[in-house]
């Protein structure tokens, strides 16, 4: 009876327009976007105007980094966590001989607790020299990305998903991982289940996350800048690069990170912190990712904090229904990646993620790219569907909903082709 009442209550505040759920407190009306003023990128806290790269890197950039560390994602611990690597499988004839597949178990430990994760790799066999690499998390386990029965289930699945859950089905999300096309383009791709690094559960499985390995670990901490799941996922992406640095087949100057949705948020934060990611790709990352928070369009801070409080640090809660008071916004996150390259992708049916707000973040990050002599967008007019912009920063909006499609991957690879070839 209680579940029926809750369901009925939800229906009373929810209806659908063009397939989008309209939820109380959520606006999809462009005319209702409030007047807002974005925090300036190139003005320091003391009023100094930034006119040189040195000023940006030495003074303004650290100020902007501090906002995201102290008030959105939490402060990344600097302690070193011991890790060992164990090769579980290696198949040099994967994908009908086009690729070598490899599975490597990461074992993180602080001497007391242990967290395990499995990295799945596909490396093109028909290549000249070292390979460029896409790094990205999957949502439903490595087994979800392929029908290959030799791919192991991710360690986290044994406590994150019940035995009868449909996510145990092999290949259940392989539509998001077009391995054939990636390998045919000459790219390697490495993926790990994001639950292995930090189980994405509101009710709390923090003891199974990498957070539990750090000396500062306290599941009851209310520190304003306490590390959240997005921060942990970003940290985990960098640990994947640590492993790639041990592999002689990897072109370390051509590593791209790609994240979708919540992992698009984590990819941007990883890219801001780790210069080893030469291209940073956000797909449908929305609120807390590429979209401007001050637009209050689609998912807003109040909604995301209510549903996913563990993603962010406690300090971020002060901006729920209070976006006007934000002293920073997501265009500054994009700008932190400069002079490396960033690509943001949207879907025209994904109003929840605010495609226009995602585009505008890249546009408003342009002044920092221009400091480096690089190209930002020339106009704040969002491009038409399937009309990608590929400069030193990039963007496209495709038709469809919240997902990763082959079209997205084709654009990501086109963008990487442009910028990775420049370094040869």
């Amino acid at each position: 009876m209680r579940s029926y009442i809750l369901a009925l209550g939800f229906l009373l505040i929810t209806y659908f327009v063009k397939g989008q759920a309209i939820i109380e407190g959520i606006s999809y009306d462009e005319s209702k976007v409030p007047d807002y003023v974005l925090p300036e990128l190139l003005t320091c806290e003391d009023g100094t105007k930034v006119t040189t790269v040195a000023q940006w890197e030495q003074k303004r950039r650290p100020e902007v980094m501090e906002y995201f560390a102290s008030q959105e994602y939490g402060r990344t611990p600097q302690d070193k966590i011991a890790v060992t690597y164990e090769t579980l499988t290696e198949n040099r004839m994967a994908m009908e001989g086009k690729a070598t597949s490899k599975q490597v178990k990461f074992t993180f430990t602080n001497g007391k607790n242990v967290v395990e994760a499995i990295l799945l790799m596909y490396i093109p066999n028909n290549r000249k020299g070292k390979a460029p690499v896409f790094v990205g998390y999957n949502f439903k386990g490595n087994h979800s990305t392929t029908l290959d029965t030799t791919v192991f289930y991710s360690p986290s699945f044994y406590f994150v998903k019940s035995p009868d859950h449909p996510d145990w089905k092999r290949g259940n999300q392989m539509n998001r991982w077009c391995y054939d096309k990636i390998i045919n383009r000459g790219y390697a791709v490495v993926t790990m289940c994001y639950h292995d690094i930090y189980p994405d559960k509101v009710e709390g499985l923090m003891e199974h996350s990498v957070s539990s390995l750090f000396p500062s670990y306290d599941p009851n901490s209310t520190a304003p800048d306490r590390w959240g799941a997005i921060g942990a996922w970003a940290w985990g992406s960098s640990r994947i690069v640590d492993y790639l640095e041990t592999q002689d087949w990897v072109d370390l100057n051509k590593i791209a990170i790609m994240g979708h949705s919540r992992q698009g948020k984590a990819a941007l934060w990883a890219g801001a912190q780790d210069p080893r990611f030469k291209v940073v790709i956000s797909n449908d990352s929305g609120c807390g990712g590429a979209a401007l928070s001050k637009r209050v369009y689609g998912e807003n801070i109040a909604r995301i904090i209510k549903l996913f409080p563990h993603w962010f640090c406690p300090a971020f809660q002060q901006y729920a229904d209070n976006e006007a008071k934000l002293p920073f916004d997501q265009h500054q996150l994009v700008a932190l990646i400069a002079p490396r390259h960033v690509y943001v992708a949207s879907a025209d049916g994904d109003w929840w993620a605010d495609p226009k707000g995602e585009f505008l973040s890249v546009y408003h990050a342009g002044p920092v790219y221009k400091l480096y002599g690089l190209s930002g967008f020339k106009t704040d007019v969002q491009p038409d569907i399937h009309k990608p912009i590929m400069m030193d920063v990039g963007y496209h909006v495709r038709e469809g909903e919240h997902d990763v499609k082959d079209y997205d991957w084709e654009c990501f690879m086109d963008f990487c082709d442009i910028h990775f070839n420049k370094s040869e």
Side-chain angles (χ1 to χ4, degrees), residues 19-319:
Q20 291 280 326
I22 306 299
I23 301 172
E24 186 177 45
I26 300 296
S27 173
Y28 297 129
D29 187 342
E30 194 67 33
S31 70
K32 293 183 180 179
V33 170
D35 292 333
Y36 61 87
V37 176
L38 290 178
E40 290 197 28
L41 269 176
L42 300 180
T43 300
C44 298
E45 297 300 310
D46 64 4
T48 302
K49 299 295 183 182
V50 175
T51 59
T52 68
V53 168
Q55 286 177 306
W56 166 253
E57 292 184 348
Q58 296 169 19
K59 187 170 184 177
R60 181 57 177 158
R61 190 180 187 278
E63 292 177 346
V64 176
M65 283 289 295
E66 178 63 16
Y67 276 127
F68 289 98
S70 65
Q71 298 188 49
E72 186 164 2
Y73 305 120
R75 205 172 297 282
T76 304
Q78 297 305 303
D79 311 89
K80 299 295 183 182
I81 301 299
V83 58
T84 56
Y85 311 117
E86 177 188 356
T87 299
L88 301 177
T89 65
E90 185 169 2
N91 177 13
R92 298 182 182 274
M93 293 301 293
M95 298 172 61
E96 299 180 343
K98 291 192 299 185
T100 295
S101 67
K102 193 174 179 181
Q103 296 179 86
V104 176
K105 182 169 73 173
F106 289 38
T107 302
F108 300 100
T109 183
N110 60 3
K112 296 180 181 179
N113 298 332
V114 172
V115 172
E116 294 181 343
I118 295 178
L119 186 69
L120 172 64
M121 292 172 275
Y122 288 97
I123 307 156
N125 288 335
N126 186 22
R127 67 178 193 276
K128 296 179 180 178
K130 298 179 184 290
V133 186
F134 283 103
V135 174
Y137 287 117
N138 61 74
F139 286 84
K140 297 187 176 184
N142 295 345
H143 69 280
S144 73
T145 71
T146 176
L147 295 174
D148 184 349
T149 57
T150 68
V151 172
F152 291 104
Y153 285 92
S154 301
S156 58
F157 251 59
Y158 294 92
F159 51 84
V160 171
K161 302 290 183 179
S162 61
D164 59 346
H165 197 284
D167 284 356
W168 284 90
K169 182 179 179 182
R170 195 170 292 277
N172 69 80
Q173 211 167 49
M174 60 188 296
N175 62 295
R176 291 185 174 179
W177 298 90
C178 53
Y179 288 143
D180 274 332
K181 290 187 175 183
I182 296 170
I183 291 296
N184 288 343
R185 291 281 292 265
Y187 288 89
V189 57
V190 304
T191 186
M192 178 183 288
C193 181
Y194 80 129
H195 290 299
D196 283 359
I197 297 298
Y198 194 114
D200 194 11
K201 292 284 188 178
V202 177
E203 60 267 26
L205 287 171
M206 196 182 295
E207 70 274 14
H208 295 290
S209 77
V210 295
S211 298
S212 69
L213 304 178
F214 288 89
S216 59
Y217 172 65
D218 178 2
N220 300 313
S221 171
T222 58
D225 61 352
R226 186 194 70 213
W227 211 25
I230 289 174
W233 294 322
W235 179 91
S237 296
S238 290
R239 304 293 71 78
I240 293 173
V241 178
D242 291 347
Y243 170 77
L244 293 177
E245 288 183 325
T246 72
Q247 303 299 294
D248 60 9
W249 57 266
V250 178
D251 190 331
L252 297 175
N253 292 314
K254 297 179 181 180
I255 298 178
I257 183 171
M258 191 288 289
H260 168 65
S261 194
R262 64 200 65 180
Q263 290 311 320
K265 310 177 205 301
L268 290 169
W269 184 224
Q273 297 176 89
D274 192 338
R276 295 176 298 176
F277 293 114
K278 303 305 182 183
V279 171
V280 179
I281 301 167
S282 154
N283 190 77
D284 300 348
S285 61
C287 181
L292 294 175
S293 295
K294 288 182 181 289
R295 278 174 46 81
V296 199
Y297 183 103
E299 187 174 30
N300 55 39
I301 294 175
R303 187 71 182 178
I304 203 170
I305 287 292
K306 181 179 180 181
L307 295 178
F308 307 107
H310 59 296
W311 288 1
F312 303 93
C313 66
F316 199 46
Q317 296 176 10
Q318 67 187 294
Y319 302 113

Side-chain angles (χ1 to χ4, degrees), residues 410-421:
E410 294 286 0
C411 288
F412 302 157
M413 290 187 283
D414 288 347
F415 187 73
C416 288
D417 282 351
I418 293 169
H419 297 296
F420 285 165
N421 287 340

